[in-house]
Amino acid sequence: MRIDDVQWNEPARAKILEDADRVLREAVTEVAGSHAGEDSDAIYAELNKRLKGRFIDYEPGPDVREYADAIASGELTTD
């Protein structure tokens, strides 16, 4: 067996991704509820603050900016 063969199986990968999506949705929902009406940069910073400690080697990306913009513009629905 080569070290390249060591990896999570497909059910584990799906569970990891599902958990990561849940953490992201929770952060977006919480920030939408507590920071509505703020500017996109403040919301973006708050999202990154909440997500940074939840993921190994977290780096903010354009998707987080998209969610911050949606919250700031009132385009995000959480129901």
Side-chain angles (χ1 to χ4, degrees):
M1 175 182 280
R2 296 177 38 88
I3 192 64
D4 294 344
D5 296 329
V6 176
Q7 61 185 3
W8 296 110
N9 63 35
E10 287 307 312
R13 285 177 184 268
K15 175 72 170 116
I16 291 165
L17 184 56
E18 180 182 312
D19 290 347
D21 285 346
R22 180 185 42 77
V23 167
L24 176 60
R25 277 191 298 274
E26 288 172 357
V28 169
T29 300
E30 291 169 4
V31 171
S34 63
H35 290 73
E38 292 185 18
D39 76 327
S40 182
D41 289 339
I43 294 169
Y44 181 72
E46 183 63 25
L47 284 171
N48 285 309
K49 180 177 139 186
R50 291 174 187 241
L51 294 170
K52 186 171 178 69
R54 303 293 304 267
F55 297 97
I56 298 170
D57 295 334
Y58 172 75
E59 293 291 329
D63 48 350
V64 177
R65 171 55 71 184
E66 179 182 349
Y67 306 137
D69 292 344
I71 293 167
S73 67
E75 295 175 13
L76 180 77
T77 59
T78 57
D79 43 276

Coordinates of all heavy atoms in Angstrom, one line a residue:
M1 N 0.9 -1.2 0.0 CA 0.0 0.0 0.0 C 0.9 1.2 0.0 O 1.8 1.3 0.8 CB -0.9 0.0 1.2 CG -1.7 1.3 1.4 SD -2.8 1.3 2.8 CE -4.1 0.3 2.3
R2 N 0.5 2.2 -0.8 CA 1.3 3.4 -0.9 C 0.6 4.4 0.0 O -0.6 4.4 0.2 CB 1.3 3.9 -2.3 CG 2.0 3.0 -3.3 CD 1.9 3.5 -4.8 NE 2.0 5.0 -4.9 CZ 3.2 5.7 -5.0 NH1 4.3 5.0 -5.0 NH2 3.2 7.0 -5.1
I3 N 1.3 5.4 0.5 CA 0.8 6.4 1.3 C -0.3 7.2 0.6 O -1.3 7.7 1.2 CB 1.8 7.4 1.9 CG1 1.3 8.3 3.0 CG2 2.4 8.2 0.8 CD1 0.8 7.5 4.2
D4 N -0.3 7.3 -0.7 CA -1.3 8.0 -1.5 C -2.6 7.2 -1.4 O -3.7 7.8 -1.7 CB -0.9 8.1 -3.0 CG 0.3 9.1 -3.1 OD1 0.6 9.8 -2.2 OD2 0.9 9.0 -4.2
D5 N -2.6 6.0 -1.0 CA -3.8 5.2 -0.9 C -4.5 5.4 0.4 O -5.7 4.9 0.6 CB -3.5 3.7 -1.1 CG -2.9 3.3 -2.5 OD1 -3.3 4.0 -3.4 OD2 -2.1 2.4 -2.5
V6 N -3.9 6.1 1.3 CA -4.5 6.3 2.6 C -5.4 7.5 2.5 O -5.0 8.6 2.3 CB -3.4 6.6 3.7 CG1 -4.1 6.9 5.0 CG2 -2.5 5.4 3.8
Q7 N -6.7 7.3 2.6 CA -7.7 8.4 2.5 C -9.0 7.9 3.1 O -9.3 6.7 3.3 CB -7.9 8.8 1.1 CG -8.4 7.7 0.2 CD -8.5 8.1 -1.3 OE1 -8.1 9.2 -1.6 NE2 -9.0 7.2 -2.1
W8 N -9.9 8.9 3.4 CA -11.2 8.5 3.9 C -12.0 7.8 2.8 O -12.0 8.2 1.6 CB -12.0 9.8 4.3 CG -11.3 10.5 5.4 CD1 -10.7 11.7 5.3 CD2 -11.2 10.2 6.8 NE1 -10.2 12.1 6.6 CE2 -10.5 11.2 7.5 CE3 -11.7 9.1 7.5 CZ2 -10.3 11.1 8.8 CZ3 -11.4 9.0 8.9 CH2 -10.7 10.0 9.5
N9 N -12.9 6.9 3.2 CA -13.7 6.2 2.3 C -14.9 7.2 1.9 O -15.1 8.2 2.5 CB -14.2 4.8 2.8 CG -15.1 5.0 4.1 OD1 -15.8 6.0 4.2 ND2 -15.0 4.0 5.0
E10 N -15.6 6.8 0.9 CA -16.7 7.7 0.4 C -17.8 8.0 1.5 O -18.2 9.2 1.5 CB -17.3 7.1 -0.9 CG -16.4 7.2 -2.1 CD -15.9 8.7 -2.3 OE1 -16.6 9.6 -2.3 OE2 -14.6 8.8 -2.5
P11 N -18.2 7.1 2.2 CA -19.2 7.5 3.3 C -18.6 8.5 4.3 O -19.3 9.4 4.7 CB -19.6 6.1 3.9 CG -19.3 5.1 2.9 CD -18.1 5.6 2.2
A12 N -17.4 8.3 4.7 CA -16.7 9.2 5.6 C -16.6 10.6 4.9 O -16.8 11.6 5.6 CB -15.4 8.6 6.0
R13 N -16.2 10.6 3.7 CA -16.0 11.9 3.0 C -17.4 12.6 2.9 O -17.4 13.8 3.1 CB -15.5 11.7 1.5 CG -14.1 11.3 1.4 CD -13.8 11.0 -0.1 NE -12.4 10.6 -0.2 CZ -11.4 11.5 -0.4 NH1 -11.6 12.7 -0.6 NH2 -10.2 11.0 -0.5
A14 N -18.4 11.9 2.6 CA -19.7 12.5 2.6 C -20.1 13.1 3.9 O -20.7 14.2 4.0 CB -20.8 11.5 2.1
K15 N -19.8 12.3 5.0 CA -20.2 12.8 6.4 C -19.4 14.0 6.7 O -19.9 15.0 7.3 CB -19.9 11.7 7.4 CG -20.1 12.0 8.8 CD -21.6 12.2 9.1 CE -21.7 12.3 10.7 NZ -22.3 13.6 11.1
I16 N -18.1 14.1 6.4 CA -17.2 15.2 6.6 C -17.8 16.5 5.9 O -17.9 17.5 6.5 CB -15.8 14.9 6.2 CG1 -15.2 13.9 7.2 CG2 -14.9 16.2 6.2 CD1 -13.9 13.3 6.7
L17 N -18.1 16.3 4.7 CA -18.7 17.4 3.9 C -20.0 17.9 4.5 O -20.3 19.1 4.6 CB -18.8 17.0 2.4 CG -19.3 18.1 1.5 CD1 -18.4 19.4 1.6 CD2 -19.3 17.6 0.1
E18 N -20.9 16.9 4.8 CA -22.2 17.3 5.4 C -22.0 18.0 6.7 O -22.7 19.1 7.0 CB -22.9 16.0 5.7 CG -24.3 16.2 6.3 CD -25.0 14.8 6.6 OE1 -25.0 13.9 5.7 OE2 -25.5 14.6 7.7
D19 N -21.1 17.6 7.6 CA -20.8 18.3 8.8 C -20.2 19.7 8.6 O -20.6 20.7 9.2 CB -19.8 17.5 9.7 CG -20.4 16.3 10.2 OD1 -21.6 16.1 10.2 OD2 -19.6 15.4 10.7
A20 N -19.4 19.8 7.6 CA -18.8 21.1 7.3 C -19.9 22.1 6.7 O -19.9 23.3 7.1 CB -17.7 21.0 6.2
D21 N -20.8 21.6 5.9 CA -21.9 22.4 5.4 C -22.8 22.9 6.5 O -23.2 24.0 6.5 CB -22.7 21.7 4.3 CG -22.0 21.5 3.0 OD1 -21.0 22.2 2.8 OD2 -22.4 20.7 2.2
R22 N -23.0 22.0 7.5 CA -23.9 22.3 8.6 C -23.3 23.4 9.4 O -23.9 24.4 9.8 CB -24.1 21.1 9.5 CG -25.0 21.4 10.7 CD -25.1 20.2 11.6 NE -23.9 19.5 11.9 CZ -22.9 19.9 12.7 NH1 -23.0 21.0 13.3 NH2 -21.8 19.1 12.8
V23 N -22.0 23.3 9.7 CA -21.3 24.4 10.5 C -21.3 25.7 9.7 O -21.6 26.8 10.3 CB -19.8 24.0 10.7 CG1 -19.0 25.1 11.2 CG2 -19.7 22.8 11.7
L24 N -21.1 25.7 8.4 CA -21.2 26.9 7.6 C -22.6 27.5 7.7 O -22.8 28.7 7.9 CB -20.8 26.6 6.2 CG -20.9 27.8 5.2 CD1 -20.1 28.9 5.6 CD2 -20.6 27.3 3.8
R25 N -23.7 26.7 7.5 CA -25.0 27.2 7.5 C -25.4 27.7 8.9 O -26.0 28.8 9.0 CB -26.0 26.0 7.2 CG -26.2 25.8 5.7 CD -27.4 24.9 5.4 NE -27.2 23.5 6.0 CZ -26.5 22.6 5.4 NH1 -26.0 22.7 4.2 NH2 -26.4 21.4 6.0
E26 N -24.9 27.1 10.0 CA -25.2 27.6 11.3 C -24.5 29.0 11.5 O -25.2 29.9 12.1 CB -24.7 26.6 12.4 CG -25.5 25.4 12.5 CD -24.9 24.3 13.4 OE1 -23.7 24.5 13.9 OE2 -25.5 23.3 13.6
A27 N -23.3 29.1 11.1 CA -22.6 30.4 11.2 C -23.3 31.5 10.4 O -23.6 32.6 10.9 CB -21.2 30.3 10.7
V28 N -23.7 31.2 9.2 CA -24.4 32.2 8.3 C -25.8 32.5 9.0 O -26.1 33.7 9.0 CB -24.6 31.6 6.9 CG1 -25.5 32.5 6.1 CG2 -23.2 31.5 6.2
T29 N -26.5 31.6 9.5 CA -27.8 31.8 10.1 C -27.6 32.7 11.3 O -28.4 33.7 11.5 CB -28.5 30.5 10.5 OG1 -28.7 29.7 9.3 CG2 -29.8 30.7 11.1
E30 N -26.7 32.4 12.2 CA -26.4 33.2 13.4 C -26.0 34.6 13.1 O -26.5 35.6 13.6 CB -25.4 32.5 14.2 CG -25.8 31.2 14.9 CD -24.7 30.4 15.5 OE1 -23.5 30.9 15.5 OE2 -24.9 29.3 16.0
V31 N -25.1 34.8 12.1 CA -24.7 36.1 11.7 C -25.8 36.9 11.1 O -26.0 38.1 11.3 CB -23.4 36.0 10.9 CG1 -23.0 37.4 10.3 CG2 -22.2 35.5 11.7
A32 N -26.6 36.2 10.3 CA -27.7 36.9 9.6 C -28.7 37.4 10.7 O -29.3 38.5 10.5 CB -28.4 36.0 8.7
G33 N -28.9 36.7 11.7 CA -29.8 37.1 12.8 C -29.2 38.2 13.7 O -30.0 39.0 14.2
S34 N -27.9 38.2 13.9 CA -27.3 39.2 14.8 C -26.7 40.4 14.2 O -26.4 41.3 14.9 CB -26.3 38.4 15.7 OG -25.3 37.9 14.9
H35 N -26.4 40.3 12.9 CA -25.7 41.4 12.2 C -26.5 42.0 11.0 O -25.9 42.6 10.2 CB -24.3 40.9 11.8 CG -23.4 40.7 12.9 ND1 -23.5 39.6 13.8 CD2 -22.4 41.4 13.4 CE1 -22.6 39.7 14.7 NE2 -21.9 40.7 14.5
A36 N -27.8 41.7 10.9 CA -28.6 42.3 9.9 C -28.5 43.8 9.9 O -28.5 44.4 10.9 CB -30.0 41.9 10.0
G37 N -28.4 44.4 8.7 CA -28.3 45.8 8.6 C -26.8 46.3 8.6 O -26.6 47.5 8.4
E38 N -25.9 45.5 9.0 CA -24.5 45.9 9.0 C -23.9 45.9 7.5 O -24.5 45.2 6.7 CB -23.6 45.1 9.9 CG -24.0 45.3 11.4 CD -23.1 44.5 12.3 OE1 -22.0 44.1 11.9 OE2 -23.5 44.3 13.5
D39 N -22.8 46.5 7.4 CA -22.2 46.4 6.0 C -21.5 45.1 5.8 O -21.2 44.3 6.7 CB -21.2 47.6 5.8 CG -19.9 47.4 6.5 OD1 -19.8 46.8 7.6 OD2 -18.9 47.9 5.9
S40 N -21.3 44.8 4.5 CA -20.8 43.5 4.1 C -19.5 43.1 4.7 O -19.2 42.0 5.1 CB -20.8 43.4 2.6 OG -20.3 42.2 2.1
D41 N -18.6 44.1 4.8 CA -17.3 43.9 5.4 C -17.3 43.4 6.8 O -16.6 42.5 7.2 CB -16.3 45.1 5.2 CG -16.0 45.4 3.8 OD1 -16.0 44.4 3.0 OD2 -15.6 46.5 3.5
A42 N -18.2 44.0 7.6 CA -18.3 43.7 9.0 C -18.9 42.3 9.1 O -18.5 41.5 10.0 CB -19.2 44.7 9.7
I43 N -19.9 42.0 8.3 CA -20.5 40.6 8.3 C -19.5 39.6 7.8 O -19.3 38.5 8.5 CB -21.7 40.6 7.4 CG1 -22.8 41.5 8.0 CG2 -22.2 39.2 7.2 CD1 -24.0 41.8 7.1
Y44 N -18.7 39.9 6.8 CA -17.6 39.0 6.3 C -16.6 38.7 7.5 O -16.3 37.5 7.7 CB -17.0 39.7 5.1 CG -15.9 38.9 4.5 CD1 -16.1 37.7 3.7 CD2 -14.5 39.3 4.6 CE1 -15.1 37.0 3.1 CE2 -13.5 38.6 4.0 CZ -13.8 37.4 3.2 OH -12.8 36.7 2.6
A45 N -16.2 39.7 8.2 CA -15.3 39.6 9.3 C -15.9 38.7 10.4 O -15.2 37.8 10.9 CB -14.9 40.9 9.8
E46 N -17.1 38.9 10.7 CA -17.8 38.1 11.7 C -17.9 36.6 11.3 O -17.7 35.7 12.1 CB -19.2 38.6 12.1 CG -19.9 37.9 13.2 CD -19.2 37.9 14.5 OE1 -18.4 38.9 14.8 OE2 -19.4 37.0 15.3
L47 N -18.3 36.4 10.0 CA -18.3 35.0 9.5 C -17.0 34.3 9.6 O -16.9 33.2 10.1 CB -18.8 35.0 8.1 CG -20.3 35.2 7.9 CD1 -20.6 35.4 6.4 CD2 -21.1 34.0 8.4
N48 N -15.9 35.0 9.2 CA -14.6 34.4 9.3 C -14.2 34.1 10.7 O -13.5 33.1 11.0 CB -13.6 35.3 8.5 CG -13.8 35.2 7.0 OD1 -13.8 34.1 6.5 ND2 -13.9 36.3 6.4
K49 N -14.5 35.0 11.6 CA -14.2 34.8 13.0 C -14.9 33.6 13.5 O -14.2 32.8 14.3 CB -14.7 36.1 13.8 CG -14.4 36.0 15.3 CD -14.9 37.3 15.9 CE -15.6 37.0 17.2 NZ -16.2 38.2 17.8
R50 N -16.1 33.4 13.2 CA -16.8 32.2 13.7 C -16.4 30.9 13.0 O -16.4 29.8 13.6 CB -18.3 32.4 13.4 CG -18.9 33.4 14.3 CD -20.4 33.7 14.0 NE -20.9 34.8 14.7 CZ -21.9 34.7 15.5 NH1 -22.5 33.6 15.8 NH2 -22.3 35.8 16.2
L51 N -15.9 31.0 11.8 CA -15.5 29.8 11.0 C -14.1 29.4 11.3 O -13.7 28.2 11.2 CB -15.8 29.9 9.5 CG -17.2 30.1 9.1 CD1 -17.4 30.5 7.7 CD2 -18.0 28.8 9.4
K52 N -13.2 30.3 11.5 CA -11.8 30.1 11.6 C -11.4 28.9 12.6 O -10.7 28.1 12.3 CB -11.0 31.3 12.0 CG -9.5 31.2 12.0 CD -8.8 32.5 12.2 CE -7.4 32.4 12.2 NZ -6.7 32.0 11.0
G53 N -12.0 28.9 13.8 CA -11.7 27.9 14.8 C -12.4 26.6 14.5 O -12.1 25.6 15.2
R54 N -13.2 26.5 13.6 CA -14.0 25.3 13.3 C -13.4 24.3 12.3 O -13.8 23.2 12.1 CB -15.4 25.6 12.9 CG -16.2 26.5 13.9 CD -16.5 25.9 15.2 NE -17.2 24.6 15.1 CZ -18.5 24.5 15.2 NH1 -19.3 25.6 15.3 NH2 -19.1 23.3 15.1
F55 N -12.4 24.9 11.5 CA -11.8 24.1 10.4 C -10.3 24.1 10.5 O -9.7 25.2 10.8 CB -12.3 24.6 9.1 CG -13.7 24.5 8.8 CD1 -14.6 25.6 9.1 CD2 -14.3 23.3 8.4 CE1 -15.9 25.5 8.9 CE2 -15.7 23.2 8.2 CZ -16.5 24.3 8.4
I56 N -9.6 23.0 10.2 CA -8.2 23.0 10.1 C -7.8 23.8 8.9 O -8.3 23.6 7.8 CB -7.7 21.5 10.0 CG1 -8.1 20.8 11.3 CG2 -6.2 21.5 9.8 CD1 -7.9 19.3 11.2
D57 N -6.8 24.7 9.1 CA -6.2 25.5 8.0 C -7.3 26.3 7.2 O -7.3 26.4 6.0 CB -5.5 24.6 7.0 CG -4.3 23.9 7.6 OD1 -3.7 24.5 8.5 OD2 -3.8 22.9 7.1
Y58 N -8.3 26.8 8.0 CA -9.3 27.6 7.4 C -8.8 28.9 6.7 O -7.9 29.6 7.2 CB -10.3 28.1 8.4 CG -11.4 29.0 7.9 CD1 -12.4 28.5 7.0 CD2 -11.3 30.4 8.1 CE1 -13.3 29.4 6.5 CE2 -12.2 31.2 7.6 CZ -13.2 30.8 6.8 OH -14.2 31.6 6.2
E59 N -9.2 29.1 5.5 CA -8.9 30.3 4.7 C -10.2 30.8 4.1 O -10.9 30.0 3.5 CB -7.9 30.0 3.6 CG -6.5 29.6 4.0 CD -5.8 30.7 4.6 OE1 -6.0 31.9 4.3 OE2 -5.0 30.5 5.5
P60 N -10.5 32.1 4.3 CA -11.8 32.6 3.8 C -11.7 32.6 2.2 O -10.6 32.8 1.7 CB -11.9 34.0 4.3 CG -10.5 34.3 4.8 CD -9.8 33.1 5.1
G61 N -12.8 32.3 1.6 CA -12.9 32.3 0.2 C -14.0 33.1 -0.3 O -14.8 33.8 0.4
P62 N -14.2 33.1 -1.7 CA -15.2 34.0 -2.3 C -16.6 33.5 -1.9 O -17.6 34.3 -1.9 CB -15.0 33.8 -3.8 CG -14.2 32.5 -3.9 CD -13.4 32.4 -2.6
D63 N -16.8 32.3 -1.5 CA -18.1 31.8 -1.1 C -18.6 32.5 0.2 O -19.7 33.0 0.4 CB -18.2 30.3 -0.9 CG -17.0 29.7 -0.1 OD1 -16.1 30.5 0.2 OD2 -17.1 28.6 0.2
V64 N -17.6 32.7 1.1 CA -18.0 33.4 2.4 C -18.3 34.9 2.1 O -19.3 35.5 2.7 CB -16.8 33.3 3.4 CG1 -17.1 34.1 4.7 CG2 -16.5 31.9 3.8
R65 N -17.6 35.5 1.2 CA -17.9 36.9 0.7 C -19.3 36.9 0.1 O -20.1 37.8 0.4 CB -16.9 37.4 -0.3 CG -17.2 38.7 -1.0 CD -17.5 39.8 0.0 NE -16.3 40.3 0.6 CZ -16.3 41.2 1.6 NH1 -17.4 41.8 2.0 NH2 -15.2 41.6 2.2
E66 N -19.7 35.9 -0.7 CA -21.0 35.9 -1.3 C -22.1 35.8 -0.2 O -23.1 36.5 -0.3 CB -21.1 34.6 -2.2 CG -22.4 34.4 -2.8 CD -22.5 33.2 -3.7 OE1 -21.5 32.5 -3.9 OE2 -23.6 32.8 -4.1
Y67 N -21.9 35.0 0.9 CA -22.9 34.9 1.9 C -22.9 36.2 2.7 O -24.0 36.7 3.1 CB -22.6 33.8 2.9 CG -22.4 32.4 2.1 CD1 -21.4 31.6 2.4 CD2 -23.3 32.1 1.1 CE1 -21.3 30.4 1.7 CE2 -23.2 30.9 0.4 CZ -22.2 30.1 0.7 OH -22.0 28.9 0.0
A68 N -21.8 36.9 2.9 CA -21.8 38.2 3.6 C -22.6 39.2 2.8 O -23.4 40.0 3.4 CB -20.4 38.6 3.9
D69 N -22.3 39.2 1.5 CA -23.1 40.2 0.7 C -24.6 39.9 0.7 O -25.4 40.9 0.7 CB -22.5 40.1 -0.8 CG -21.1 40.6 -0.9 OD1 -20.6 41.3 0.0 OD2 -20.5 40.3 -2.0
A70 N -24.9 38.6 0.7 CA -26.4 38.3 0.7 C -27.0 38.7 2.0 O -28.1 39.2 2.0 CB -26.6 36.8 0.5
I71 N -26.3 38.6 3.1 CA -26.8 39.0 4.4 C -27.0 40.5 4.4 O -28.0 41.0 4.8 CB -25.9 38.5 5.6 CG1 -26.0 37.0 5.7 CG2 -26.3 39.2 6.9 CD1 -24.9 36.4 6.6
A72 N -25.9 41.2 4.0 CA -25.9 42.7 4.0 C -27.0 43.3 3.1 O -27.7 44.3 3.5 CB -24.6 43.2 3.6
S73 N -27.3 42.6 2.0 CA -28.3 43.1 1.1 C -29.7 42.7 1.5 O -30.7 43.1 0.8 CB -28.0 42.7 -0.3 OG -28.1 41.4 -0.5
G74 N -29.9 41.8 2.5 CA -31.2 41.3 2.8 C -31.7 40.2 1.9 O -32.9 39.9 1.9
E75 N -30.8 39.6 1.1 CA -31.2 38.6 0.1 C -31.2 37.2 0.7 O -31.7 36.3 0.0 CB -30.3 38.7 -1.1 CG -30.4 40.0 -1.9 CD -29.5 40.1 -3.0 OE1 -28.9 39.1 -3.4 OE2 -29.3 41.2 -3.5
L76 N -30.7 37.0 1.9 CA -30.7 35.7 2.5 C -31.9 35.4 3.2 O -32.4 36.1 4.1 CB -29.5 35.6 3.4 CG -29.3 34.2 4.1 CD1 -28.7 33.2 3.1 CD2 -28.4 34.3 5.3
T77 N -32.5 34.2 2.9 CA -33.7 33.7 3.7 C -33.2 32.6 4.6 O -32.5 31.7 4.1 CB -34.8 33.3 2.8 OG1 -34.4 32.3 1.9 CG2 -35.3 34.5 2.0
T78 N -33.6 32.5 5.8 CA -33.2 31.5 6.7 C -34.3 30.5 7.1 O -34.2 29.7 8.0 CB -32.5 32.0 8.0 OG1 -33.5 32.9 8.6 CG2 -31.3 32.8 7.6
D79 N -35.5 30.7 6.5 CA -36.6 29.8 6.8 C -36.7 28.6 5.9 O -36.0 28.3 5.0 CB -37.9 30.5 6.8 CG -38.1 31.5 5.6 OD1 -37.6 32.6 5.7 OD2 -38.7 31.0 4.6

